[in-house]
């Protein structure tokens, strides 16, 4: 109402995601959520019952429960009635229902069509994605073009292009990621480059915690949708060497990175 508008304008959103909850016919409640949710969030129809807290991934947590030993299950059941019900429900899920927990893609369309995220990403199994329009990043890079030596031609027999049963998401890279580079603000960025992270406003909240951090580029990847992503680790992360050894990287679009002048050794 008009009397509350100035108070609402003076509010500052810190570390939470305010969304409307309750009946859409009378939106009079706001949930200050610690995770990204759409207005009027609902439990995904793939979840057959109240397995956990409706904010976690039921499939993963159910699988973790099924890996418990009989002794661990007995201890968990003795904790409280709710824990006992969760274990019982997890063990009683039939295979055909369990397969539904693997998730569902609501839409592969862009933001202009129903269901897509603001950045063109598909809606996830719970339909949660940022509805705000994406804002421009710190560097105007235009369409990202990946540079570097192309892989030599390979024998097509048995390749993903000729094998209908092969997953379409595993084509052979045209340029090896550790040799590829991408132009950002007139500077070539590839493995060994140091960049400052400038996550776009529409990114996940976890990415926002990395704003202004310095990242070390480990490779430049091209998706099956011809999008360029820069893989990196965070320079001051105590576990950076472990992430690099394991191959667990963070991925950012080129327009979310600000190249720094210096590089690290090529084997970093």
């Amino acid at each position: 109402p008009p009397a509350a508008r100035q108070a609402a304008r003076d509010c500052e959103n810190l570390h939470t995601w305010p969304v409307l909850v309750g009946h859409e016919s009378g939106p009079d409640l706001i949930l200050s959520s610690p995770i990204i949710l759409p207005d009027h969030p609902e439990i995904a129809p793939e979840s057959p019952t109240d397995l956990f807290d409706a904010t976690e991934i039921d499939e993963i947590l159910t699988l973790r429960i099924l890996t418990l030993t009989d002794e661990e299950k007995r201890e968990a059941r003795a904790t409280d009635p709710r824990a006992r019900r969760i274990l019982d429900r997890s063990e009683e899920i039939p295979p055909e229902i369990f397969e539904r927990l693997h998730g569902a893609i609501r839409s592969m369309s862009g933001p202009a069509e129903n269901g897509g995220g603001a950045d063109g990403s598909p809606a996830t199994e719970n339909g949660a994605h940022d509805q705000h329009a994406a804002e421009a990043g710190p560097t105007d890079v235009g369409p990202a073009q990946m540079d570097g030596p192309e892989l030599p031609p390979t024998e097509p027999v048995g390749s993903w292009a000729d094998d209908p049963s092969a997953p379409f998401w595993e084509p052979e890279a045209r340029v090896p990621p550790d040799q590829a580079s991408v132009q950002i603000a007139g500077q070539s960025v590839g493995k060994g480059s140091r960049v400052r992270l400038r996550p776009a406003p529409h990114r996940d909240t976890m990415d926002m915690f990395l704003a202004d951090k310095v990242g070390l580029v480990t490779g430049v990847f091209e998706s099956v949708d011809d999008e360029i992503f820069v893989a990196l680790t965070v320079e001051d992360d105590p576990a950076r060497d472990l992430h690099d050894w394991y191959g667990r990287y963070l991925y950012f679009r080129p327009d979310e990175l600000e190249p720094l002048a210096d590089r690290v050794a090529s084997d970093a």
Side-chain angles (χ1 to χ4, degrees):
R5 286 178 184 172
Q6 186 57 48
R9 291 192 186 100
D10 293 340
C11 290
E12 185 177 0
N13 174 32
L14 295 175
H15 315 305
T16 62
W17 191 265
V19 296
L20 296 174
V21 294
H23 297 290
E24 294 191 33
S25 58
D28 55 357
L29 293 177
I30 289 181
L31 170 67
S32 191
S33 170
I35 62 174
I36 294 178
L37 292 174
D39 285 333
H40 307 291
E42 297 178 345
I43 297 176
E46 287 77 20
S47 296
T49 184
D50 178 20
L51 293 173
F52 300 102
D53 58 5
T55 63
E56 296 289 351
I57 302 174
D58 287 344
E59 179 191 27
I60 292 178
L61 296 180
T62 302
L63 287 172
R64 295 294 295 173
I65 283 181
L66 297 180
T67 64
L68 298 176
T69 65
D70 292 340
E71 178 62 26
E72 290 171 332
K73 290 178 181 178
R74 281 194 293 270
E75 292 179 358
R77 284 190 168 93
T79 303
D80 56 50
R82 175 168 170 76
R84 184 170 59 254
R85 289 195 300 269
I86 289 176
L87 265 73
D88 292 340
R89 290 167 180 167
S90 298
E91 294 184 326
E92 294 170 357
I93 298 177
E96 62 273 16
I97 299 299
F98 200 93
E99 291 178 358
R100 293 173 53 190
L101 293 180
H102 198 56
I105 296 177
R106 304 291 183 224
S107 171
M108 292 296 289
S109 60
E113 300 179 43
N114 184 34
D119 59 349
S121 62
T124 57
E125 62 270 13
N126 63 0
H129 46 58
D130 190 351
Q131 298 292 339
H132 295 286
E135 298 180 15
T139 56
D140 183 12
V141 299
Q145 299 293 327
M146 189 161 62
D147 303 317
E150 291 194 6
L151 291 174
T154 57
E155 178 62 40
V157 177
S159 70
W160 69 276
D162 297 317
D163 183 2
S165 65
F168 75 91
W169 57 84
E170 291 184 350
E172 187 174 21
R174 290 182 290 182
V175 182
D178 61 342
Q179 300 179 40
S181 62
V182 61
Q183 292 291 319
I184 303 178
Q187 185 171 324
S188 179
V189 172
K191 183 176 181 179
S193 297
R194 298 177 74 247
V195 294
R196 192 167 301 280
L197 308 183
R198 308 291 193 189
H202 62 277
R203 290 295 295 264
D204 188 271
T205 50
M206 294 301 295
D207 295 322
M208 304 310 295
F209 289 123
L210 303 176
D212 297 326
K213 293 279 188 179
V214 174
L216 302 178
V217 175
T218 59
V220 178
F221 290 79
E222 185 176 16
S223 74
V224 294
D225 297 318
D226 298 325
E227 288 186 281
I228 303 301
F229 291 92
V230 179
L232 53 84
T233 56
V234 177
E235 187 176 56
D236 62 359
D237 185 350
R240 180 175 65 83
D241 292 341
L242 182 62
H243 291 320
D244 197 38
W245 170 80
Y246 191 78
R248 190 180 183 93
Y249 303 127
L250 301 170
Y251 294 86
F252 286 85
R253 291 183 169 87
D255 61 1
E256 297 178 295
L257 304 175
E258 176 185 329
L260 302 177
D262 52 336
R263 296 173 66 93
V264 296
S266 59
D267 59 348

